[in-house]
Amino acid sequence: GGKSSGMDRINQSSVTEFLLLGLSERPEQQPLLFGIFMGMYLVTVMGNLLIILAIGFDSHLHTPMYFFLANLSFADACFSSTTVPKMLVNIQTHSHTIPYEGCLAQMHFFMMFGALDDFLLGVMAYDRYVAICRPLHYSKLMSPLVCVVLLAACWVLTNLAALLHTLLMARLSFCAGNSIHHFFCDVVPLLQLSCSDTSTNQVVLFTVGSMILTGPLSLIILSYAYIMSTILGVSSAPGRQKAFSTCGSHLTIVFLFYGTAIGVYLFPPSSHSGVKERIAAVFYTVVTPMLNPFIYSLRNNDMKTALSKIFGTHTFSSQGI
């Protein structure tokens, strides 16, 4: 045992940086990857910023549903910004390195904004439940104070969860390799690189991961079960259609985000390369945040009106998108 503890001491200080190998190590694929991800990133940031601006400038949209949607857009823009820009810089500079501290910071913010996305989707489902199933109590149950408290709770809980993972990761030592087969510092690939005992980390990852993913997901499923039964009880076809359209757009996002995230975190890969995991990660880190604005605004007349106000035109509403 003496030998290994001596080795640990040497190695603990040896990893000062990690290598992010990205989605592909083939040089000929780099320009294509750069183009695709740059395009997707710009669309994500612009789309989400437009939603925040539209909601901010239109007083009709100062309601709980849009308050949470604006926050979801902010979380989405930040979520993409924790991973994609670094990947683009690495492709452009032909350098794969990320400092040890930078890697932990990236992991922290990635987990925080990812979980925040998650919690906000849950809160938004609850908001729709109250609006559709308990309309008479809506102004009391979703008062401005309640909304602020719910939002603050989301921020605090997700920050604590991310901090817990980050502190547990900081205890580990990394010996053999420092090559991460991924385009950002994610928990699972980092745990695979450590030469310390990672059992605590894995138990916490599974426990906290399960709570973060299944907590809001259960809330969403319950809310929508009640919503569906209420809608089916509504006799008027237009009322039914409007409620279905709002909820349909929400559910699309939920399935995309949760489906891929659960696959990666609750069933981590045994293999070191985890190609399927990297592809799944692209979905929930890049594709979902990019689609959110479109799914919410293009299927929603209030959003279209607000966006057309920003552009000073009526193109959105006139084309009947």
Side-chain angles (χ1 to χ4, degrees), residues 153-183:
C154 288
W155 275 92
V156 170
L157 288 171
T158 53
N159 248 306
L160 288 175
L163 193 60
L164 177 63
H165 287 303
T166 310
L167 293 174
L168 281 173
M169 190 64 79
R171 292 169 43 249
L172 303 179
S173 50
F174 297 87
C175 321
N178 63 346
S179 299
I180 299 171
H181 292 263
H182 214 319
F183 61 97

Side-chain angles (χ1 to χ4, degrees), residues 8-314:
D8 280 352
R9 268 202 300 279
I10 296 163
N11 286 320
Q12 215 142 7
S13 57
S14 65
V15 171
T16 54
E17 60 182 23
F18 290 101
L19 296 176
L20 289 171
L21 299 181
L23 284 170
S24 161
E25 292 168 61
R26 291 155 81 178
E28 69 275 12
Q29 291 179 344
Q30 301 308 313
L32 176 67
L33 281 174
F34 185 85
I36 291 172
F37 279 86
M38 184 71 170
M40 283 163 77
Y41 181 63
L42 290 176
V43 170
T44 303
V45 173
M46 295 303 293
N48 283 301
L49 279 180
L50 272 177
I51 283 200
I52 295 170
L53 287 174
I55 292 170
F57 282 122
D58 191 337
S59 55
H60 295 115
L61 299 185
H62 294 177
T63 63
M65 174 172 146
Y66 291 106
F67 169 72
F68 291 117
L69 179 57
N71 277 285
L72 183 75
S73 288
F74 176 73
D76 274 333
C78 294
F79 187 45
S80 271
S81 301
T82 54
T83 58
V84 184
K86 177 62 184 161
M87 175 192 177
L88 295 175
V89 167
N90 283 3
I91 293 176
Q92 206 49 26
T93 56
H94 305 291
S95 147
H96 294 289
T97 60
I98 182 166
Y100 172 79
E101 295 79 8
C103 196
L104 285 188
Q106 189 184 47
M107 185 190 86
H108 177 86
F109 288 112
F110 170 78
M111 298 198 83
M112 188 192 91
F113 287 117
L116 187 58
D117 235 17
D118 215 22
F119 276 51
L120 286 171
L121 289 173
V123 171
M124 287 167 80
Y126 172 71
D127 169 71
R128 291 300 79 211
Y129 156 73
V130 180
I132 294 171
C133 305
R134 306 187 61 185
L136 300 178
H137 303 281
Y138 187 72
S139 55
K140 191 173 76 194
L141 287 173
M142 295 302 287
S143 68
L145 178 64
V146 171
C147 292
V148 171
V149 168
L150 282 170
L151 181 67
C154 288
W155 275 92
V156 170
L157 288 171
T158 53
N159 248 306
L160 288 175
L163 193 60
L164 177 63
H165 287 303
T166 310
L167 293 174
L168 281 173
M169 190 64 79
R171 292 169 43 249
L172 303 179
S173 50
F174 297 87
C175 321
N178 63 346
S179 299
I180 299 171
H181 292 263
H182 214 319
F183 61 97
F184 64 96
C185 289
D186 199 3
V187 187
V188 178
L190 272 174
L191 288 179
Q192 289 171 340
L193 282 184
S194 171
C195 51
S196 309
D197 175 21
T198 60
S199 54
T200 312
N201 297 63
Q202 279 163 342
V203 168
V204 171
L205 180 64
F206 186 80
T207 316
V208 176
S210 301
M211 288 192 299
I212 285 176
L213 288 168
T214 56
L217 187 56
S218 318
L219 186 61
I220 291 168
I221 293 168
L222 265 174
S223 299
Y224 281 106
Y226 278 111
I227 287 169
M228 290 305 172
S229 64
T230 304
I231 292 175
L232 295 173
V234 172
S235 49
S236 76
R240 219 182 260 194
Q241 202 178 347
K242 187 168 192 258
F244 265 129
S245 126
T246 310
C247 299
S249 53
H250 191 163
L251 281 174
T252 314
I253 286 293
V254 169
F255 283 125
L256 253 179
F257 185 82
Y258 280 95
T260 49
I262 286 173
V264 173
Y265 291 101
L266 300 191
F267 305 102
S270 50
S271 73
H272 205 60
S273 60
V275 177
K276 284 205 290 282
E277 283 67 28
R278 277 183 276 177
I279 293 165
V282 170
F283 265 92
Y284 65 83
T285 58
V286 189
V287 178
T288 326
M290 179 181 77
L291 291 180
N292 268 2
F294 295 99
I295 287 175
Y296 278 103
S297 53
L298 295 183
R299 300 190 52 177
N300 182 320
N301 287 323
D302 297 331
M303 275 306 297
K304 277 184 264 185
T305 313
L307 285 166
S308 62
K309 278 184 195 169
I310 283 190
F311 291 109
T313 63
H314 291 285

